[in-house]
Amino acid sequence: MMKAVVVTTPGGPEVLKLQEVADPELKEDEVLIKVAATALNRADTLQRKGAYPPPPGSSPYLGLECSGTIEAVGEHVSRWQVGDRVCALLSGGGYAEKVAVPAGQVFPVPPGISLKDAASFPEVACTVWSTVFMMSRLSAGETFLVHGGSSGIGTFAIQIAKYQGVRVFVTAGSEEKLAVCKELGADVCINYKTEDFVARVKEETGGKGVDVILDSIGASYFRRNLDSLNFDGRLFVIGMLGGAVTEIDLRVVLSRRLTIQAAGLRYRSPENKAEIAREVENNVWPAIVAGRVKTVIYKSFPLSEAAEAHRLMESSQHIGKILLVA
């Protein structure tokens, strides 16, 4: 048996309870990790409300990433050994003392990063690298706008984009959040509560617009995002905090040769996740080791205080990642 945070019934943070549950079963291509820490993602709050079910065959528990020590390896696993210090991208199950995960979604803890803090990297690194770099092909000398610059995704995206030689624009909702973005390397910081981000983007780019936008807002920003893009610009949508349904004027897309893409990580195949994980290890891990991409952790809670951690995330007062420590 092990302890895990259980969603006792779909609802608010108070439905999260730490309970005794059965250990995960280990498949032949998986490793069993004794969890040191997991990190919160917005998706966890959606799953808690009953709106984001885990993929079939995945752990029923919350938690899309973790760090810890390998406790057992499946018979088809060759790279990892018992005792290895790792972090991993999960389909679920991070809010627990143990989790089983396909071996291809496991990373070594980067040198210089503590075991606990390593839990803050897998989901943001795989999300940003797969969307912004693998699919939208952001490259050196281009311009990039990330909405929610002070979020876990945002604080990571700023740093990896700067490492790649990109000019970075961010939006955030307070001067304190924008100051952190600037400290992390953002070139243009826009307070969306007091400024029109389209006007500011145009002003800072000589009327052209940016090359790539990473957006977790969705419908309410959709038209403004298109208006903020340069010729051959790419919009990547990874969330719908501002709604899911919108209208599109195809003339705007056609005349400026725009690309609109959307994707999530959770429902991708294990093979696809493994491919992303290797790209991340090859391209992002060296930046972490070089000290160019740092962890941005706002607060850590014990597993038993998962409800409190969710309240903090839903207040949006945090900057960077929120951890749960097993």
Side-chain angles (χ1 to χ4, degrees):
M1 299 292 283
M2 66 167 184
K3 288 192 173 78
V5 175
V6 176
V7 179
T8 51
T9 180
E14 70 284 350
V15 304
L16 300 176
K17 301 282 187 242
L18 192 60
Q19 297 180 354
E20 290 276 332
V21 301
D23 278 355
E25 284 177 29
L26 184 65
K27 299 191 183 89
E28 56 197 12
D29 60 347
E30 293 181 333
V31 301
L32 184 69
I33 298 175
K34 182 182 190 300
V35 176
T38 185
L40 270 66
N41 289 280
R42 284 270 169 201
D44 304 345
T45 64
L46 295 175
Q47 184 176 335
R48 189 200 73 222
K49 293 171 185 170
Y52 192 59
S58 297
S59 168
Y61 309 117
L62 304 180
L64 298 175
E65 58 194 331
C66 75
S67 61
T69 309
I70 293 183
E71 208 167 71
V73 295
E75 56 192 68
H76 290 178
V77 176
S78 54
R79 178 177 179 187
W80 306 106
Q81 294 170 337
V82 172
D84 285 351
R85 291 157 53 86
V86 296
C87 55
L89 179 70
L90 311 173
S91 299
Y95 289 29
E97 291 178 325
K98 295 176 192 177
V99 66
V101 57
Q105 292 162 220
V106 178
F107 303 85
V109 170
I113 303 294
S114 73
L115 185 60
K116 182 186 91 159
D117 288 1
S120 69
F121 279 130
E123 178 75 17
V124 292
C126 291
T127 296
V128 172
W129 192 262
S130 64
T131 56
V132 175
F133 295 95
M134 291 170 74
M135 293 174 77
S136 294
R137 305 175 317 283
L138 180 66
S139 52
E142 288 194 311
T143 48
F144 169 54
L145 166 63
V146 57
H147 291 299
S150 61
S151 66
I153 292 276
T155 52
F156 176 84
I158 292 166
Q159 297 179 84
I160 196 67
K162 289 309 294 180
Y163 180 74
Q164 296 290 330
V166 168
R167 186 169 179 229
V168 177
F169 293 60
V170 299
T171 62
S174 76
E175 294 311 311
E176 183 199 0
K177 288 179 176 180
L178 291 169
V180 171
C181 294
K182 192 149 200 66
E183 213 171 286
L184 292 171
D187 299 285
V188 179
C189 301
I190 305 163
N191 186 331
Y192 67 81
K193 291 181 178 169
T194 60
E195 286 184 272
D196 171 11
F197 72 80
V198 183
R200 185 80 190 279
V201 162
K202 289 281 176 67
E203 181 191 320
E204 296 280 354
T205 57
K208 287 182 179 170
V210 293
D211 298 304
V212 175
I213 299 175
L214 183 62
D215 173 56
S216 53
I217 307 300
S220 62
Y221 272 19
F222 189 69
R223 286 185 190 176
R224 284 184 282 167
N225 279 333
L226 297 187
D227 289 342
S228 301
L229 284 170
N230 195 0
F231 281 90
D232 298 303
R234 291 87 80 192
L235 168 64
F236 211 110
V237 180
I238 56 166
M240 294 165 288
L241 291 169
V245 179
T246 185
E247 276 191 356
I248 182 168
D249 182 344
L250 290 170
R251 290 168 300 188
V252 174
V253 181
L254 194 145
S255 63
R256 280 192 276 136
R257 303 183 298 274
L258 304 181
T259 302
I260 301 163
Q261 298 185 85
L265 264 181
R266 193 177 198 183
Y267 301 115
R268 290 175 183 264
S269 68
E271 294 75 20
N272 194 202
K273 287 179 182 172
E275 184 192 343
I276 292 168
R278 296 296 65 86
E279 286 270 334
V280 165
E281 191 173 343
N282 291 336
N283 293 286
V284 175
W285 254 230
I288 298 171
V289 173
R292 299 283 301 278
V293 173
K294 297 179 168 68
T295 56
V296 182
I297 294 164
Y298 187 73
K299 196 168 181 189
S300 301
F301 294 86
L303 266 184
S304 58
E305 291 176 23
E308 208 45 53
H310 273 229
R311 281 187 198 100
L312 174 59
M313 172 160 267
E314 289 180 313
S315 77
S316 290
Q317 286 176 346
H318 61 293
I319 294 173
K321 297 287 280 189
I322 301 165
L323 301 188
L324 289 176
V325 181

